[in-house]
């Protein structure tokens, strides 16, 4: 009995990693890609490609645990990248430009949170509206074209070979890792984190226990907005231009990552670690498929199937527990 | 129905009960909450199967396998919560599930005729079949439900507390409909707590108490007083430990307080070391009053004074800071976050002892929770398990322990003993007595009279939203409370 429960805990602990390991094992055993797939340069490039979705997924994890959703994440990323480009182009110092980009994201998130709590609308509707509004503002700001900006150190945030070279990975990747650790700790060990879980698990109970639901939700959406803003800065860094049409549909990738990682759309469950694994499962799949020379549509079909299978497996795992 | 019995676990919900319903009569079913009325009716409707006993329908033995089966045999239930699809029209609702069609296409004319006929039968042609149900009043919705039953050619109609959400006028309309149905040969089982209403509409009545039939006979033969006596007539077992406590200063005072969902203004005061019971029927406004005090419902009028500080607006978190704790009657949907652990649920309203720089000291919290688990005697293997894996009684103890952990000194308890076993109940009574002796103030809402009489210092009785009377417990007895709760006048 005890033995069994120990195995169970091991499986439960490994559970989220299994999918990722499976994907990596599959690709590293296919002869065509074997000698390139698990190589440092490739791993670096996968990590760099994951940064933007990962940053978005950190905020999205909080929102989904609280029982909400944010459809405006990708538009927010585009808007923030345009604002950053705009600021650099206008001759602002890079640091200020980054700051403005991140703050723009935060403001969009703040608007989401405030509208959801004050108008008592469902998050789906508010953020669906914001998806259009933010994208529109981005195009407007950019004059419906790309904003070229002079090269600065901002563009090195996402460089595959970073300077100084002892960094080994792009500064953006390091930021992703640091923020992931910080957010994981906040979610698990902070009062704020517990409140998010309580709201998502049962909002009525949370209210009864004196948790300030409106305030908590506004903070959650603002924080998620800030992460999207940072994602936007990374997007700009990668593209070296501010493109208002970038990242269309990326919000679905972000949501998929959270859901693959065990987040429940009805709220109350999810984790940063899980979401990050979700992000990497998708990145490795894309990377592997590209290496195989498979066309885009194959990737789409596989990732679509992965989402359904991952969530189904997760549910079975939880059902077995009790 | 002959010799019907039903047990749920250790409790005997029905014990050898007979019920005879004649064609075209209105038969009232009376009894306190939990007397077995709804179980009896559920057996008739096929929702619950009896352990023993037989039902005869028009002389033939009848054992409904499901609610649908029983509906096909002409038995229709109309519950307190109406079962209509609000977005559909009156006609669509009446014909729902029995649409007339040819090859999948609706035969509108014939349906319209049938709906018209049903509405005519109960003389409510003023309700347009094309109106969306959500635009109708509660009373009119009930008319639609009855029309639906008629379209199904119901022979027996069960009305469960039909007037509890109706205004006086709508109730009168309902009584008219009932009269007309009688002349059509429809038999009606009428469940109600409002005794005067029963006297008005019922031909015969049956009184249940603790799952047993106490009386059955013609309505005119029994007086109101006798009915009340029959409903409550039980000796109070001494399961209420007397813990001496003294009342102190006023700690909470309501001045004409009226919340968004309260029907009338309420004045009330509560002292340190006092247990105040709120009695009344379900829907009499007790829960709404507690929710308004705790800031869960918005205050519309009046104010409340907590420890000499007057306030009106407030949210639960401000009330918790003022030392209040609220136990919800709806444990599943509101009281507990069932996917969270015992530790989380117990400490949710008060993280401050474990908080350092915004972070929780989990070990310290777990250790503290262990003490509370022991103190309240919660049976739990692992306090990190989600609370849905606990039994009902233990879940309730988690919810109660939360208030202790929160260090509340004004306890607002809404039906704290509902649906839990006798031993847990007795533990909760003892615990309430101890709290009072420590100077805590308790408001105790209950629909179970013996426990109110057993442990309260004062009892206030609600009737249809208003506070009828408040007196020390020694000036009340079961009969006078029942009179006030069912008739709305001090008995």
């Amino acid at each position: 009995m005890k033995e069994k429960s120990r195995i169970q805990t091991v499986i439960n602990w490994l559970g989220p990693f299994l999918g990722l390991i499976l994907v990596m094992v599959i690709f590293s055993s296919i002869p065509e890609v074997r000698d390139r797939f698990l190589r440092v340069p490739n791993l670096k490039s996968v990590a760099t490609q994951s940064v933007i979705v990962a940053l978005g997924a950190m905020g999205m994890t909080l929102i989904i645990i609280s029982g909400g959703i944010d459809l405006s994440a990708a538009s927010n990323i585009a808007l923030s990248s345009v604002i950053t480009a705009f600021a650099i182009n206008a001759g602002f110092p890079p640091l200020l430009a980054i700051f403005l980009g991140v703050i723009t994201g935060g403001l969009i998130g703040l608007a989401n949170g405030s509208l959801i709590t004050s108008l008592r609308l469902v998050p789906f509707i508010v953020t669906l509206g914001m998806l259009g509004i933010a994208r529109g503002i981005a195009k407007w700001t950019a004059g419906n074209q790309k904003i070229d900006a002079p090269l600065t150190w901002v563009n090195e945030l996402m460089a595959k070979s970073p300077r100084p070279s002892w960094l080994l990975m792009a500064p953006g990747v390091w930021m992703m890792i640091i923020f992931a650790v910080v957010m994981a700790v906040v979610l698990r060990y902070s009062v704020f984190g517990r409140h998010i879980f309580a709201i998502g698990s049962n909002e009525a109970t949370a209210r009864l226990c004196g948790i300030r639901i409106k305030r908590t939700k506004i903070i959650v959406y603002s924080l998620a907005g800030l992460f999207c803003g940072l994602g936007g800065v990374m997007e700009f860094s990668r593209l070296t231009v501010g493109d208002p049409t970038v990242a269309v549909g990326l919000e679905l990738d972000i949501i998929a990552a959270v859901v693959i990682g065990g987040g429940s759309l009805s709220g109350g469950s999810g984790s940063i670690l899980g979401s990050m694994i979700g992000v990497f499962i998708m990145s490795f799949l894309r990377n592997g498929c590209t290496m195989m020379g498979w066309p885009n549509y194959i990737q789409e079909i596989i990732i679509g199937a992965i989402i359904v299978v991952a969530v189904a497996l997760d549910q079975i795992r939880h059902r077995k527990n009790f | 129905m002959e010799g019907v019995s039903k047990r749920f676990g250790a409790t005997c919900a029905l014990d050898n009960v007979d019920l005879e319903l004649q064609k075209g009569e209105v038969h009232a079913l009376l009894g306190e909450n939990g007397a077995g009325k709804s179980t009896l009716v559920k057996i008739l409707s096929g929702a619950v199967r009896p352990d023993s006993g037989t039902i005869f329908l028009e002389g033939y033995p009848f054992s409904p396998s499901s609610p649908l089966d029983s509906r096909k045999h002409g038995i229709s239930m109309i519950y307190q919560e109406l079962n209509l699809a609000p977005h559909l029209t009156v006609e669509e609702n009446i014909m729902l599930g029995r649409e007339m069609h040819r090859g999948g296409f609706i035969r509108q004319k014939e349906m319209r005729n049938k709906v018209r006929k049903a509405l005519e039968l109960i003389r409510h042609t003023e309700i347009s079949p094309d109106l969306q149900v959500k635009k109708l009043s509660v009373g009119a919705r009930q008319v639609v439900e009855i029309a639906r039953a008629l379209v199904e050619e119901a022979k027996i109609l069960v009305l469960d507390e039909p007037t509890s959400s109706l205004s006086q006028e709508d109730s009168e309309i309902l009584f008219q409909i009932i009269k007309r149905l009688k002349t059509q040969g429809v038999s009606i089982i009428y469940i109600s707590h409002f005794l005067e209403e029963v006297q008005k509409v019922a031909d015969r009545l049956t009184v249940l108490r603790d799952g047993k039939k106490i009386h059955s006979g013609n309505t005119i033969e029994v007086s109101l007083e006798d009915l009340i006596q029959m409903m409550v007539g039980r000796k109070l077992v001494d399961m209420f430990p007397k813990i001496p406590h003294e009342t102190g200063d006023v700690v909470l005072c309501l001045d004409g307080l009226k919340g968004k969902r309260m029907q009338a203004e309420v004045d009330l005061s509560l002292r340190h070391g006092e247990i105040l019971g709120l009695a009344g029927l379900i829907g009499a406004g007790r829960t709404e009053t507690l929710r308004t005090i705790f800031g869960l419902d918005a205050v519309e009028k009046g104010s409340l004074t907590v420890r000499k500080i007057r306030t009106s607006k407030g949210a639960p978190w401000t009330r918790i800071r003022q030392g209040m704790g609220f136990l919800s009657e709806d444990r599943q949907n509101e009281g507990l976050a069932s996917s969270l652990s015992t530790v989380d649920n117990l400490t949710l309203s008060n993280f401050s002892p474990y908080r350092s720089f915004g972070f929780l000291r989990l070990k310290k919290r777990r250790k503290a929770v262990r003490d509370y688990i022991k103190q309240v005697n919660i049976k739990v293997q692992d306090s990190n398990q989600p609370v849905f894996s606990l039994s009902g009684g233990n879940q309730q103890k988690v919810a109660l322990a939360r208030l202790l952990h929160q260090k509340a000194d004004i306890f607002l308890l809404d039906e704290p003993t509902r649906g839990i076993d006798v031993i847990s109940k007795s533990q909760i009574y003892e615990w309430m007595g101890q709290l009072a002796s420590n100077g805590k103030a308790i408001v105790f809402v209950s629909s179970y009279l013996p426990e109110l009489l057993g442990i309260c210092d004062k009892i206030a009785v609600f009737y249809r939203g208003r506070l009828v009377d408040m007196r020390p417990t020694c000036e009340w007895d079961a009969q006078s409370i029942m009179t006030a709760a069912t008739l709305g006048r001090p008995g």
Side-chain angles (χ1 to χ4, degrees):
Chain A
M1 190 63 202
K2 228 174 188 174
E3 200 66 22
K4 205 175 175 185
S5 70
R6 199 172 295 159
I7 294 168
Q8 189 88 51
T9 38
V10 171
I11 289 177
N12 277 343
W13 196 83
L14 269 180
F17 288 99
L18 284 178
L20 185 59
I21 293 168
L22 195 69
V23 169
M24 295 181 71
V25 165
I26 288 174
F27 278 110
S28 47
S29 60
I30 298 176
E32 287 100 315
V33 293
R34 184 163 45 195
D35 44 344
R36 280 178 295 154
F37 188 72
L38 276 185
R39 290 291 175 273
V40 172
N42 189 48
L43 293 182
K44 269 193 196 176
S45 97
V46 169
T48 317
Q49 280 160 12
S50 304
V51 170
I52 294 165
V53 177
L55 287 172
M58 289 175 206
M60 190 69 80
T61 307
L62 302 193
I63 291 178
I64 284 179
I65 291 174
S66 80
I69 192 91
D70 182 6
L71 298 177
S72 67
S75 300
N76 195 357
I77 288 171
L79 175 62
S80 307
S81 80
V82 166
I83 295 290
T84 312
F86 189 86
I88 288 180
N89 205 21
F92 289 10
L95 205 58
L96 182 59
I98 291 176
F99 178 75
L100 286 175
V102 174
I103 285 297
T104 306
L107 287 176
I108 295 290
L110 178 66
N112 278 336
S114 312
L115 288 171
I116 288 163
T117 51
S118 62
L119 300 180
R120 296 194 182 180
L121 287 172
V122 286
F124 189 96
I125 302 296
V126 171
T127 58
L128 183 63
M130 194 56 80
L131 179 150
I133 294 170
R135 181 71 68 178
I137 297 175
K139 288 179 181 169
W140 186 15
T141 316
N144 217 4
Q145 56 195 358
K146 291 179 178 124
I147 297 184
D148 288 312
L151 279 180
T152 56
W153 60 263
V154 176
N155 298 105
E156 280 172 30
L157 287 176
M158 292 283 272
K160 270 176 206 158
S161 34
R163 270 184 305 177
S165 59
W166 53 260
L167 269 176
L168 297 174
M169 286 187 288
V173 176
W174 286 114
M175 276 161 113
M176 168 182 82
I177 294 170
I178 292 168
F179 276 119
V181 171
V182 169
M183 289 316 292
V185 170
V186 164
L187 200 52
R188 231 183 119 78
Y189 299 104
S190 78
V191 173
F192 173 63
R194 290 286 95 191
H195 283 182
I196 297 174
F197 274 102
I199 290 173
S201 173
N202 190 340
E203 194 166 323
T205 310
R207 198 159 115 85
L208 198 88
C209 290
I211 291 170
R212 297 159 80 169
I213 290 171
K214 282 189 178 179
R215 204 172 71 167
T216 310
K217 277 191 178 173
I218 290 176
I219 297 173
V220 164
Y221 281 90
S222 304
L223 207 56
L226 289 173
F227 275 116
C228 288
L230 190 60
V233 170
M234 297 300 168
E235 191 74 81
F236 164 75
S237 163
R238 192 170 69 90
L239 297 174
T240 68
V241 292
D243 182 357
T245 61
V246 81
V248 172
L250 197 74
E251 69 275 359
L252 297 181
D253 275 5
I254 296 174
I255 293 169
V258 176
V259 170
I260 290 174
S264 157
L265 287 184
S266 49
S269 65
S271 70
I272 296 287
L273 177 66
S275 300
M276 292 303 110
I277 287 168
V279 170
F280 277 94
I281 286 179
M282 293 203 293
S283 296
F284 274 114
L285 267 175
R286 287 227 166 85
N287 175 261
C289 291
T290 313
M291 278 188 171
M292 292 292 293
W294 289 343
N296 238 337
Y297 50 81
I298 297 288
Q299 295 178 24
E300 283 167 9
I301 292 172
I302 293 179
I303 289 176
I306 290 277
I307 295 174
V308 177
V309 171
V311 176
L313 284 180
D314 197 56
Q315 272 195 4
I316 293 166
R317 203 156 56 89
H318 281 277
R319 224 177 291 148
K320 260 190 187 160
N321 274 350
F322 302 103
Chain B
M1 299 175 88
E2 265 179 28
V4 174
S5 300
K6 177 75 197 175
R7 298 177 74 85
F8 291 111
T11 56
C12 195
L14 280 180
D15 186 8
N16 213 9
V17 171
D18 304 325
L19 181 72
E20 189 192 76
L21 183 65
Q22 286 163 358
K23 197 170 171 63
E25 78 160 349
V26 177
H27 195 120
L29 205 49
L30 300 172
E32 279 188 284
N33 299 321
K37 296 166 298 182
S38 46
T39 312
L40 188 62
V41 167
K42 274 181 189 157
I43 287 172
L44 181 64
S45 77
V48 170
R49 286 187 175 228
D51 295 336
S52 62
T54 339
I55 307 173
F56 294 97
L57 187 64
E58 294 176 325
Y60 298 102
F62 168 64
S63 58
S65 58
S66 70
L68 189 67
D69 187 28
S70 139
R71 267 170 67 182
K72 279 187 188 150
H73 283 85
I75 299 170
S76 271
M77 305 273 296
I78 294 175
Y79 290 102
Q80 261 166 297
E81 317 84 35
L82 302 176
N83 291 302
L84 295 172
H87 294 91
L88 301 186
T89 64
V90 170
E91 177 175 297
E92 285 164 336
N93 265 294
I94 291 177
M95 299 303 291
L96 203 62
R98 43 189 61 232
E99 292 86 354
M100 304 161 86
H101 59 87
R102 180 176 290 145
F105 290 95
I106 300 279
R107 294 161 74 176
Q108 276 173 332
K109 262 193 195 153
E110 286 167 42
M111 270 181 44
R112 180 57 54 96
N113 278 337
K114 207 157 184 192
V115 169
R116 280 265 156 75
K117 238 162 91 191
L119 287 171
E120 251 164 49
L121 210 63
I122 43 178
R123 310 259 163 82
H124 277 280
T125 40
E126 84 284 355
I127 298 175
S128 157
D130 292 320
L131 214 59
Q132 272 189 326
V133 160
K134 67 175 179 188
K135 289 180 182 146
L136 297 176
S137 71
V138 187
R141 286 182 207 188
Q142 203 152 38
V143 173
V144 172
E145 282 244 27
I146 293 170
R148 179 155 80 181
L150 288 181
V151 165
E152 290 174 349
E153 280 154 14
K155 287 175 273 188
I156 299 174
L157 197 60
V158 180
L159 297 171
D160 189 359
E161 294 280 353
T163 59
S164 61
S165 51
L166 294 190
S167 66
Q168 204 70 41
E169 288 160 47
D170 284 335
S171 302
E172 284 303 325
I173 291 171
L174 180 74
F175 300 151
Q176 294 298 321
I177 293 176
I178 289 174
K179 268 190 195 149
R180 277 180 219 128
L181 290 176
K182 266 168 63 177
T183 59
Q184 306 282 333
V186 178
S187 313
I188 293 169
I189 295 180
Y190 191 94
I191 300 178
S192 177
H193 282 301
F194 300 108
L195 299 180
E196 282 171 337
E197 232 175 72
V198 168
Q199 287 195 316
K200 212 148 109 193
V201 295
D203 304 311
R204 294 199 303 150
L205 51 81
T206 295
V207 180
L208 296 180
R209 189 206 309 149
D210 295 334
K212 292 191 187 70
K213 188 171 89 174
I214 300 301
H215 171 83
S216 201
N218 289 329
T219 311
I220 25 173
E221 286 165 13
V222 277
S223 67
L224 275 181
E225 286 69 33
D226 289 344
L227 275 181
I228 292 170
Q229 175 78 51
M230 284 189 268
M231 283 164 68
V232 295
R234 130 186 41 191
K235 278 198 179 140
L236 301 188
V237 191
D238 196 33
M239 64 178 295
F240 308 108
K242 279 268 174 268
I243 295 167
H245 50 267
E246 279 176 19
T247 53
D249 296 338
V250 173
V251 62
L252 174 70
C253 186
L254 314 189
D255 298 302
L257 186 75
K258 186 185 170 307
K260 207 172 66 186
R261 292 195 293 171
M262 287 165 67
Q263 294 167 38
E265 294 162 28
V266 168
D267 295 281
L268 207 66
S269 74
L270 179 71
R271 292 167 180 279
H272 277 297
E274 182 175 57
I275 304 176
L276 168 66
L278 302 188
L281 303 174
I282 289 164
R286 298 166 299 166
T287 297
E288 288 76 7
T289 307
L290 283 198
R291 298 182 73 86
T292 309
I293 297 174
F294 195 62
L296 283 163
D297 284 351
V299 174
E300 264 178 5
K301 247 191 259 170
S303 66
L304 66 161
T305 312
V306 189
R307 270 189 235 88
K308 289 174 186 149
I309 302 163
R310 232 175 135 84
T311 53
S312 59
K313 277 189 185 155
W317 67 270
T318 53
R319 295 286 176 259
I320 286 175
R321 273 193 198 168
Q322 288 166 333
M324 283 191 201
F326 176 73
L327 183 89
S328 172
E329 62 174 337
D330 188 353
R331 196 165 59 222
Q332 296 302 330
N333 295 315
E334 184 172 50
L336 294 172
S338 56
S339 66
L340 296 187
S341 67
T342 305
V343 178
D344 270 334
N345 268 292
L346 210 151
T347 55
L348 203 49
S349 56
N350 181 19
F351 281 156
S352 52
Y354 324 110
R355 185 195 285 247
S356 61
F357 305 105
F359 285 90
L360 283 172
R361 296 164 67 186
L362 296 184
K363 264 198 192 144
K364 189 177 170 193
R365 184 170 74 141
R366 244 190 123 166
K367 213 171 138 197
V369 164
R370 212 173 294 147
D371 293 341
Y372 282 96
I373 287 177
K374 209 179 274 171
Q375 191 185 333
V376 195
N377 200 5
I378 303 170
K379 286 196 186 66
V380 54
Q381 288 185 336
D382 177 0
S383 54
N384 279 329
Q385 259 178 20
V387 285
F388 65 69
S389 58
L390 301 183
S391 74
N394 280 315
Q395 286 188 6
Q396 189 70 321
K397 284 180 191 169
V398 172
L400 283 167
R402 177 197 292 152
L403 304 188
L404 291 180
H405 175 265
Q406 185 182 313
K407 309 260 187 292
D409 49 27
I410 303 169
F411 288 77
L412 310 171
L413 308 178
D414 198 355
E415 300 279 3
T417 59
R418 176 188 288 173
I420 63 176
D421 57 291
V422 184
I423 296 164
S424 299
K425 267 187 193 174
S426 170
Q427 284 171 345
I428 288 174
Y429 301 141
E430 193 178 339
W431 172 82
M432 284 167 70
Q434 268 160 7
L435 284 175
S437 72
N438 290 335
K440 314 281 187 200
I442 299 171
V443 183
F444 177 30
V445 168
S446 170
S447 297
Y448 183 61
L449 292 185
E451 66 180 12
L452 284 177
L453 290 166
I455 63 166
C456 293
D457 301 310
K458 256 193 211 168
I459 294 175
V461 183
F462 280 71
Y463 174 79
R464 300 210 155 169
R466 97 196 133 75
L467 199 161
V468 181
D469 200 4
M470 178 161 81
R471 284 185 245 161
T473 306
C474 56
E475 294 175 27
W476 287 107
D477 55 24
Q479 203 148 338
S480 56
I481 291 179
M482 216 46 182
T483 309
T486 50
L487 304 175
R489 53 166 195 251

